Amino acid sequence: MANKSISTSLLTRVLSVYFLLTLMVTAIQIGAEYFDTKRALISELQNQQSTFSGSLTRSLWEFNNPQIDTIADGLISIPAIAGVLIRDDSGNIVVQLGETLSVDELPEQTVDGYMLPEQNGIFGYFDTLIFEFSGHSTRVGDVTLFSTRDIAIDRIKLSLAFIIGNAIIKSTFLLILFSLAFSRMLNRPLNDLTRQIRSFRLDNLEASRVRLHDQHNNELVLIEHAYNQLIDNIEEYQDDLERTQHKLKLANRQLDEQNAILEQEVARKTSRLSQVMLDLEQRKNELELRQEKLEREISQRRTIEKTLRESNQRLEASLQHLKETQQQLVESEKMASLGGLVAGITHDVNTPIGISVTATSFLQEKLDELAHALESKQLTQPQLQKFISEGRESLNLLDNNLQRASELISSFKQVAVDQASDAIRDINLKRYIEDLIQSLQPQLKKTQHQIHVECPQDLYVRCPAGAISQIFTNLIMNSLVHGFEGIEAGNMWIRVTPQHDGQQDRLHVHYSDDGRGLDESKLAHLFDPFFTTKRDQGGSGLGTHIVRNLVTQTLKGDIDASSEAGNGLTYEFSFPIIILS
């Protein structure tokens, strides 16, 4: 088998590692150039979106499709932009030009300034379009600008050529340098050393010594010294071997004498060993019987353990199914509460809208009469004055009722969104509670019950608004359904007190009513899931359980309740919060 040169192997490994590192560094540099260029393109897309967003938002608000097409053509003509996708507030595509991703890849929820990840060589920047009108913000649609991998690569062609050329030049130079160095410093000395070692003769050790030239205190000089020392050791071992052979002959004669003595001793001990073997055989049989008994016991224990594990797995599956069922019931209870709000607010909104429709019809009828009198040249000043008076009354009626409907829808919208979401928002707590009570007016207006709110007017907090809404909704509805059963006029009090203990802000809430209350036995089960006094009337028993979970788990607080039969029910709970003012 042909021998492989050490210098060639070493040079191959060194250069392989260097080429691999060079390849990795070059790849990283190329990747960095690409991602820097990609970030620059995203920044350009964002700048172009900021430049055109004002005119595009107004065009969508005014349904000015020619202007929208003109803006889209202007955007697509920019070198960094490969595609434009404009949608209205309903998600319908208004304009789609160039290379774009599928509409399914766009964010499902309304977001501001979202960078779309690269797919199939296309990436982009998504942003919503908000129109400001009379102090109100309205989402009129969204715009997505796209760029492509080809555009990014085209921008970095010169940098790629420089990086690759630099890597090739350095690699070629190092290859030549390493080859010359290995040949001079390793190949030639090793060949000389090999030639001298091959001339080794055991019968002429002095002539077999190695003598290297032009080597100064390196590893090859160490090998020369070690080899020559080995020859010196061989000379010493040859002398020792002759002396040892003489001693071995004497030892062999003594060994023969000892063997005769040992044979006699072995014969005596063999007879004793036979008796010991019989005793060991008997003990072996006894141990085998004990082992069989232990194996039977182990088998029985394994069977019992397997049965226990199977039972434990069935119990864990049942517990998990129970938890999932309980969670589904809790979510159903939340949606049922929201459904009740929808039904009530629908009835209240229909009333002012109906009045507005009637006023509009009346105003249209009077306007037709005025137009007819004007055409027939029978219009008199009293008729015109009467029309102006009736028109003002009708417009005033329209304004009041539409404002009323707007307030109802606005308060319900925020409460409904919060109850279906765990988002953290900044709110004025007193105004938020008042809006919540406003959304419950369809249930409250049928009764003579009153809600009294004591809360600082300028208390702004950052909290999960949905949890706050769900807590107060459940407490108020529990008072209406359970606490005031058989009571025509009752009172509910909500007192909110901000606190600071030196480490964090907390909010302490006192809620109470003067309803029927609970005795000790029912109070002990107040927060238990599925506990209700209205089981035969459709009660789920999850209202107070949801309240406790929201306070203790969502808000990380604590809650307690106290009551006496006939003296109402009181809830005291507090939780950490961020107070903004």
Side-chain angles (χ1 to χ4, degrees):
M1 182 178 65
N3 294 325
K4 190 173 182 180
S5 173
I6 296 177
S7 60
T8 302
S9 300
L10 184 59
L11 180 62
T12 301
R13 294 182 183 181
V14 171
L15 292 178
S16 297
V17 173
Y18 172 76
F19 289 149
L20 180 60
L21 291 176
T22 302
L23 182 62
M24 291 174 60
V25 172
T26 304
I28 292 172
Q29 289 178 335
I30 293 174
E33 286 288 333
Y34 174 75
F35 285 109
D36 286 343
T37 304
K38 182 177 175 182
R39 282 196 293 270
L41 286 173
I42 290 294
S43 179
E44 290 185 31
L45 297 181
Q46 184 176 0
N47 293 335
Q48 295 299 335
Q49 191 277 336
S50 300
T51 302
F52 288 90
S53 62
S55 56
L56 184 58
T57 301
R58 178 167 289 279
S59 299
L60 283 172
W61 175 261
E62 297 174 351
F63 298 101
N64 190 350
N65 290 333
Q67 180 66 20
I68 295 174
D69 294 336
T70 301
I71 295 173
D73 291 337
L75 288 171
I76 199 66
S77 65
I78 297 173
I81 300 177
V84 178
L85 177 61
I86 302 174
R87 301 190 302 177
D88 58 18
D89 57 345
S90 301
N92 298 321
I93 297 176
V94 178
V95 174
Q96 185 173 13
L97 298 176
E99 300 182 46
T100 64
L101 293 175
S102 172
V103 177
D104 298 335
E105 304 298 334
L106 300 182
E108 298 181 357
Q109 299 181 351
T110 301
V111 295
D112 294 331
Y114 177 76
M115 186 179 72
L116 299 176
E118 182 176 337
Q119 294 188 16
N120 299 324
I122 301 175
F123 55 90
Y125 181 78
F126 170 90
D127 201 359
T128 54
L129 299 175
I130 306 299
F131 184 76
E132 302 288 341
F133 180 74
S134 299
H136 296 283
S137 298
T138 303
R139 179 179 177 272
V140 298
D142 55 69
V143 60
T144 308
L145 303 180
F146 297 92
S147 188
T148 64
R149 182 187 302 155
D150 295 336
I151 294 175
I153 293 175
D154 188 62
R155 287 193 175 190
I156 63 174
K157 283 183 178 178
L158 182 59
S159 297
L160 291 179
F162 177 77
I163 292 172
I164 295 174
N166 183 37
I168 292 175
I169 292 172
K170 290 191 296 183
S171 300
T172 304
F173 176 77
L174 286 176
L175 176 60
I176 296 172
L177 181 63
F178 276 115
S179 298
L180 294 175
F182 273 74
S183 175
R184 179 176 179 180
M185 300 179 66
L186 192 60
N187 282 352
R188 294 176 184 175
L190 284 178
N191 290 334
D192 186 21
L193 179 64
T194 303
R195 179 182 55 79
Q196 295 187 43
I197 290 176
R198 285 177 176 172
S199 63
F200 173 81
R201 294 186 61 183
L202 188 61
D203 56 352
N204 190 1
L205 294 178
E206 185 61 30
S208 299
R209 294 181 180 275
V210 172
R211 296 175 179 82
L212 297 178
H213 306 284
D214 299 329
Q215 300 298 324
H216 305 285
N217 298 328
N218 56 22
E219 287 80 358
L220 294 177
V221 174
L222 295 178
I223 294 176
E224 176 188 358
H225 292 166
Y227 182 81
N228 293 333
Q229 181 64 40
L230 176 62
I231 292 178
D232 293 337
N233 293 339
I234 291 175
E235 291 177 345
E236 294 178 0
Y237 291 155
Q238 286 179 340
D239 294 337
D240 292 340
L241 181 60
E242 292 178 357
R243 290 192 295 270
T244 304
Q245 287 177 346
H246 177 70
K247 293 179 180 179
L248 182 59
K249 292 178 180 179
L250 295 176
N252 285 336
R253 286 196 296 269
Q254 294 176 356
L255 183 60
D256 292 338
E257 295 175 354
Q258 292 292 330
N259 283 337
I261 298 172
L262 287 175
E263 287 177 357
Q264 298 175 359
E265 186 68 22
V266 167
R268 289 194 300 271
K269 291 185 176 180
T270 299
S271 60
R272 297 178 184 176
L273 184 60
S274 300
Q275 183 62 38
V276 172
M277 292 297 294
L278 292 175
D279 293 340
L280 289 176
E281 185 68 24
Q282 183 178 359
R283 293 182 181 180
K284 177 183 175 182
N285 294 335
E286 294 176 355
L287 289 174
E288 289 177 351
L289 293 176
R290 293 181 181 179
Q291 183 178 1
E292 291 178 359
K293 183 178 180 181
L294 287 174
E295 288 177 352
R296 288 195 298 271
E297 293 178 355
I298 291 172
S299 177
Q300 293 175 356
R301 290 183 181 180
R302 288 178 178 173
T303 303
I304 295 173
E305 289 177 357
K306 181 179 179 182
T307 304
L308 289 175
R309 282 196 298 270
E310 292 176 352
S311 301
N312 189 34
Q313 291 174 356
R314 289 194 295 270
L315 289 174
E316 289 178 354
S318 300
L319 179 59
Q320 182 64 27
H321 179 68
L322 181 60
K323 289 181 179 179
E324 293 175 355
T325 304
Q326 179 178 345
Q327 184 64 27
Q328 292 174 358
L329 289 174
V330 170
E331 294 299 327
S332 299
E333 181 68 13
K334 289 183 180 180
M335 297 310 297
S337 173
L338 189 58
L341 290 178
V342 173
I345 204 70
T346 301
H347 179 272
D348 270 25
V349 170
N350 282 338
T351 301
I353 290 179
I355 295 173
S356 300
V357 171
T358 302
T360 304
S361 301
F362 174 76
L363 189 60
Q364 181 66 41
E365 180 181 348
K366 293 301 179 181
L367 185 61
D368 292 340
E369 292 177 1
L370 183 65
H372 179 70
L374 181 61
E375 291 174 358
S376 61
K377 299 182 179 179
Q378 298 177 358
L379 180 62
T380 63
Q381 184 175 359
Q383 288 178 324
L384 183 59
Q385 291 176 346
K386 181 180 179 182
F387 172 77
I388 291 174
S389 176
E390 292 175 343
R392 286 176 177 173
E393 293 178 359
S394 298
L395 289 175
N396 187 42
L397 187 63
L398 273 171
D399 182 66
N400 292 337
N401 283 277
L402 289 177
Q403 184 66 26
R404 170 64 177 161
S406 176
E407 291 175 356
L408 287 171
I409 292 174
S410 178
S411 62
F412 166 73
K413 178 181 177 182
Q414 189 58 61
V415 171
V417 169
D418 285 340
Q419 288 195 8
S421 171
D422 293 331
I424 296 177
R425 299 195 303 110
D426 297 343
I427 60 174
N428 181 297
L429 189 56
K430 184 173 184 180
R431 191 182 311 132
Y432 187 78
I433 295 174
E434 290 173 348
D435 289 343
L436 172 63
I437 295 173
Q438 179 70 24
S439 69
L440 295 176
Q441 284 301 317
Q443 285 77 21
L444 293 170
K445 71 178 184 179
K446 302 174 185 178
T447 68
Q448 301 180 26
H449 306 311
Q450 299 292 324
I451 300 179
H452 310 280
V453 179
E454 298 179 14
C455 179
Q457 190 72 32
D458 58 348
L459 179 58
Y460 288 85
V461 297
R462 180 172 296 161
C463 64
I468 301 293
S469 173
Q470 189 71 32
I471 289 171
F472 283 117
T473 299
N474 284 345
L475 293 179
I476 293 172
M477 293 306 299
N478 274 354
S479 295
L480 292 176
V481 175
H482 301 283
F484 296 136
E485 183 180 11
I487 299 176
E488 296 183 359
N491 293 281
M492 290 164 275
W493 293 272
I494 299 175
R495 289 197 294 273
V496 179
T497 305
Q499 299 175 343
H500 186 75
D501 59 3
Q503 295 182 350
Q504 64 177 356
D505 297 325
R506 295 185 68 85
L507 207 64
H508 182 270
V509 180
H510 172 95
Y511 175 89
S512 63
D513 61 44
D514 56 0
R516 299 172 58 192
L518 296 172
D519 57 29
E520 292 185 2
S521 60
K522 293 181 179 178
L523 182 64
H525 299 283
L526 177 62
F527 294 115
D528 292 348
F530 312 111
F531 172 75
T532 179
T533 58
K534 297 283 186 178
R535 182 74 64 188
D536 55 346
Q537 300 180 24
S540 66
L542 290 174
T544 53
H545 180 65
I546 292 174
V547 169
R548 185 183 66 177
N549 286 348
L550 289 172
V551 172
T552 59
Q553 297 179 14
T554 303
L555 300 179
K556 309 301 181 184
D558 51 75
I559 185 171
D560 193 17
S562 59
S563 177
E564 293 181 2
N567 291 329
L569 179 60
T570 300
Y571 294 90
E572 299 276 353
F573 56 94
S574 65
F575 50 89
I577 201 169
I578 299 176
I579 298 178
L580 304 177
S581 63

